[in-house]
Amino acid sequence: VQLQASGGGLVQPGGSLRLSCVASGSISSINGMGWYRQAPGKQRELVAHITSVGMTNYADSVKGRFTISRDNAKNTVYLQMNSLKPEDTGVYYCRGRIVVLDTLYSYEYWGQGTLVTVSS
């Protein structure tokens, strides 16, 4: 099982980006999926999370600006980021709790990270 994140880049303050994370491999089902970020010199923090039935929660710092969604048919989670601020800069990682095919067990998987830089 692998998670592949994409969509990062350089954007000016006030701009938008859409991150995607695709899960592939021996997947039976995917439970919760989330986006985390790590700013330079800081610990990794939760940005947004979505359950298998679409319930969401967000870090206070991104509420009203970021939207997490998922397409279960494509094993993909998205993060739409609007009104970006310089403090949103960091490496964004996706995480998924995935039930492996032909087992009853779920495991936590992380994507490789995609860099978001918000700067003028």
Side-chain angles (χ1 to χ4, degrees):
V1 175
Q2 291 186 328
L3 271 64
Q4 181 72 40
S6 62
L10 173 64
V11 63
Q12 292 187 341
S16 298
L17 281 176
R18 189 192 195 206
L19 306 183
S20 300
C21 176
V22 181
S24 62
S26 299
I27 297 170
S28 177
S29 62
I30 302 176
N31 297 329
M33 301 187 79
W35 287 96
Y36 294 71
R37 69 184 177 194
Q38 187 164 18
K42 295 188 177 181
Q43 290 188 334
R44 191 174 299 186
E45 62 175 354
L46 174 68
V47 176
H49 181 269
I50 185 167
T51 68
S52 59
V53 295
M55 296 180 64
T56 60
N57 68 282
Y58 298 90
D60 287 343
S61 59
V62 307
K63 283 180 181 177
R65 300 188 297 121
F66 290 11
T67 302
I68 188 170
S69 61
R70 61 190 288 172
D71 185 333
N72 291 332
K74 296 181 179 179
N75 290 337
T76 301
V77 63
Y78 305 97
L79 186 67
Q80 178 67 44
M81 305 186 294
N82 299 327
S83 302
L84 282 160
K85 304 176 180 180
E87 52 263 42
D88 294 318
T89 294
V91 179
Y92 283 69
Y93 299 90
C94 59
R95 184 194 70 87
R97 188 76 183 177
I98 297 173
V99 179
V100 176
L101 196 63
D102 294 332
T103 77
L104 298 176
Y105 299 105
S106 65
Y107 300 91
E108 185 176 272
Y109 294 90
W110 288 84
Q112 84 288 2
T114 184
L115 177 62
V116 172
T117 303
V118 184
S119 175
S120 55

